[in-house]
Amino acid sequence: MPTIHLHTVDYAILGIYLIFVLGIGWTLRQSIKTGEDFFLSGRRIPTWIAALAFLSANLGAQEVIGMGACGAKYGMLTCHFYWLPAVTAMVFVGVFMMPFYYGSKARSVPEYLKLRFDEKTRGLNAMTFAAMTIFSSGISMFALAKLMELMLGWNFHLCIWLSAAIVLVYIFLGGLTSAIYNEVLQFFLIVMGFLPLTYLGLKSMGGWESLKHKLSEVAVSQGFAPNTLTTIWTPLKSPSDNPMGVEWMGLLMGLGFVLAYGYWCTDFLVVQRAMAAKSMSAARRTPLLAAIPKMLFPLLVILPGMVAISLQYSLPNGFLPKTADGSLDYNMATPLMLIRFFPSGLLGLGLTALLASFMSGMAGNVTAFNTVWTYDIYQSYIRPNQSDRHYLRMGHIATVGGILLSIGAAYAAAKFNNIMDLLQLIFAFVNAPLFATFLLGMFWKRATGHGAFYGLLLGTLAAAAHHGLTIPLGATTWLKGGWLGAHLHTYHSEMAQNFWTAVWAWSTCFIATIAVSLLTRQAKTDEQLRGLVYSLTPRQRDSTLKWYQQPATIGAVVIGAVIGLNIIFW
């Protein structure tokens, strides 16, 4: 593993970034006077700031490092995490779901579940979501510490505690507002840091056509058709036709529908950013505007990984290191690209962008955790009916607790060697069944609290059962499945197993919710469900917006653009 030799200018760039991060939190501390200020930024964030924060909340370490790794391992098939699934889901949440979130004045996704269903449904989701944010933050923390240890020679344990301390300070001082403005800063840093990497990587390959030719040779050497790594739909006829090990139905249902919509429509980490917008129209346009740059992100995060795998097969000694079991360590694709192509100064900028991605991931999850813990667990079950100042103080305590729990999760993540596979597995357990609950709750007024609770519970148990009874090809640990003893099916890859785990979880929750709802009485009246169910909510149209500013218009343009990208790279 090569070591980075930083110069004074590189350290200066890193230092300036850290000063800005802490300075934003210090500057905003005077504006944090109430619980709503700390948890939802007082709902006064401008649309463009909220849109960039909405996007940046999904631009943490898992995306920058994980998608680069997937680009090296799966090629352009990784674009399915962005184009059709993610972008259409962002349009759906902006056009259809945000009016319910923002209009209900819920402070969190679990609180919306309480308003729509009942307390027990809210409590179940609050606990599973809190656990998910801790694991996700811990993954970011582990990845940062591991990379700094391998690339800079810094102590692994020191890196974990140092990164935790920085995130703790600026969230503790400024709450969600601090996290949002830092996420906007981090967005621009990531773009400036990784756009030159894409350019230099493509230039070294001789351009896109030359890279396609090299990747066709890589695909053939792996036993696939020449265009497998450079197209997105053609290789999906059979699981054996592509390195992701999934057919079009598994990808379309597992990722394209359940996981993508489950993440963008129900994950409070991203929804919280839109809910902080200053008005309903601003909240609706937040995910729609964020979808536009989202379509271009594969250029920043996937393409460097594709260049890395072509270097692996063209350089005499290879390019990527190997893990303890002898397989290629795809997680190092993007960092090694920085080392290879960036000179002094630009290297400092690239490392700062990498650092920003980790900070963004940790901060986003910790702010979501402290809100859900304070409002949906502490206020509801431990200390209800306290003053706003009391809950603000608990938010600060929850921030410290969330950071400490994330440190523990970071050490647990050290047992995994693929952060994206682990992350999608977590989403399959939490977001997949939750999306079925939301879909029925928002569009079927007959769905009851009992139906939602038992559907959510059974969906989560179905995910556990599927994971425990199946195993990916070549798995050597029970952490990747098969822990119930019997192996009823073997998938071609961990990602394929994750997709089908999500399908089973969503389907079980969907069917169980309908069945139980039909057998139980609806406890809420139509008046109580107004603003929470689509058929009972008046359609809103902001007459102050021009036709091209309307959410439906923006959504139609975005959908047309993403369909065009799918056709071009079919």
Side-chain angles (χ1 to χ4, degrees), residues 5-67:
H5 299 287
L6 296 180
H7 295 80
T8 303
V9 64
D10 301 312
Y11 282 113
I13 293 173
L14 284 167
I16 291 172
Y17 164 72
L18 292 176
I19 291 172
F20 263 95
V21 165
L22 297 177
I24 289 174
W26 179 261
T27 303
L28 293 172
R29 76 192 191 284
Q30 296 296 336
S31 65
I32 307 301
K33 296 181 175 62
T34 68
E36 185 173 62
D37 290 337
F38 187 76
F39 296 114
L40 290 176
S41 299
R43 291 196 166 184
R44 56 176 179 264
I45 296 296
T47 305
W48 74 274
I49 294 288
L52 289 180
F54 186 91
L55 194 61
S56 296
N58 184 243
L59 195 58
Q62 296 98 331
E63 180 133 0
V64 174
I65 299 299
M67 290 303 178

Side-chain angles (χ1 to χ4, degrees), residues 493-515:
S493 71
E494 290 90 344
M495 197 65 76
Q497 182 192 37
N498 293 338
F499 292 167
W500 283 106
T501 298
V503 171
W504 276 95
W506 183 89
S507 301
T508 301
C509 180
F510 191 82
I511 295 171
T513 301
I514 293 175

Side-chain angles (χ1 to χ4, degrees), residues 80-91 255-256 260-261 264 291 294:
H80 284 295
F81 283 93
Y82 290 86
W83 288 345
L84 200 58
V87 170
T88 56
M90 293 166 78
V91 171
L255 175 61
Y261 279 69
W264 290 103
K294 181 72 174 178

Side-chain angles (χ1 to χ4, degrees), residues 140-152 154 156 159-160 329 332:
S140 296
M141 200 176 291
F142 159 74
L144 173 60
K146 192 64 179 175
L147 285 172
M148 294 299 104
E149 177 195 34
L150 293 175
M151 296 166 59
L152 302 177
W154 295 358
F156 175 77
C159 288
I160 283 185
D329 189 355
M332 297 306 297

Side-chain angles (χ1 to χ4, degrees), residues 114 140 401 438 480:
K114 175 188 176 182
S140 296
F438 265 87
K480 293 186 177 182

Side-chain angles (χ1 to χ4, degrees), residues 326-465:
S327 60
L328 292 177
D329 189 355
Y330 294 106
N331 286 328
M332 297 306 297
T334 297
L336 290 179
M337 288 284 289
L338 290 174
I339 298 174
R340 181 176 179 84
F341 290 107
F342 276 10
S344 179
L346 196 56
L347 181 58
L349 180 61
L351 282 178
T352 301
L354 205 57
L355 179 63
S357 74
F358 291 113
M359 295 299 182
S360 174
M362 285 185 283
N365 280 286
V366 171
T367 54
F369 170 81
N370 63 30
T371 303
V372 169
W373 164 263
T374 303
Y375 283 139
D376 296 299
I377 298 177
Y378 182 79
Q379 184 184 42
S380 299
Y381 304 109
I382 302 175
R383 292 289 299 277
N385 304 318
Q386 300 297 308
S387 66
D388 184 77
R389 186 174 183 82
H390 176 86
Y391 293 122
L392 175 59
R393 185 165 60 250
M394 173 48 60
H396 288 137
I397 296 172
T399 300
V400 177
I403 290 288
L404 292 175
L405 290 172
S406 296
I407 292 174
Y411 283 106
K415 300 182 182 298
F416 296 85
N417 63 1
N418 191 319
I419 60 175
M420 189 52 63
D421 284 343
L422 173 59
L423 192 66
Q424 294 303 317
L425 177 62
I426 295 171
F427 289 162
F429 271 75
V430 179
N431 288 345
L434 180 61
F435 177 53
T437 303
F438 265 87
L439 204 60
L440 289 169
M442 287 186 170
F443 296 99
W444 187 43
K445 70 176 185 178
R446 182 65 180 80
T448 67
H450 293 309
F453 175 79
Y454 287 107
L456 197 57
L457 180 62
L458 290 174
T460 304
L461 292 176

Side-chain angles (χ1 to χ4, degrees), residues 191-208 210-211 214 299-300 303-308 310-311 319 334 336-350:
V191 171
M192 290 187 297
F194 285 93
L195 197 56
L197 181 63
T198 299
Y199 170 76
L200 294 174
L202 267 181
K203 183 179 179 182
S204 73
M205 292 290 104
W208 172 244
S210 178
L211 176 61
K214 294 179 185 297
L299 186 68
L300 291 178
L303 198 57
M306 296 169 65
V307 173
S310 68
L311 289 173
F319 182 68
T334 297
L336 290 179
M337 288 284 289
L338 290 174
I339 298 174
R340 181 176 179 84
F341 290 107
F342 276 10
S344 179
L346 196 56
L347 181 58
L349 180 61

Side-chain angles (χ1 to χ4, degrees), residues 118-135:
D118 55 21
E119 186 63 49
K120 62 180 180 295
T121 306
R122 175 232 207 141
L124 176 60
N125 174 243
M127 289 185 284
T128 58
F129 178 78
M132 182 183 74
T133 57
I134 292 300
F135 273 103

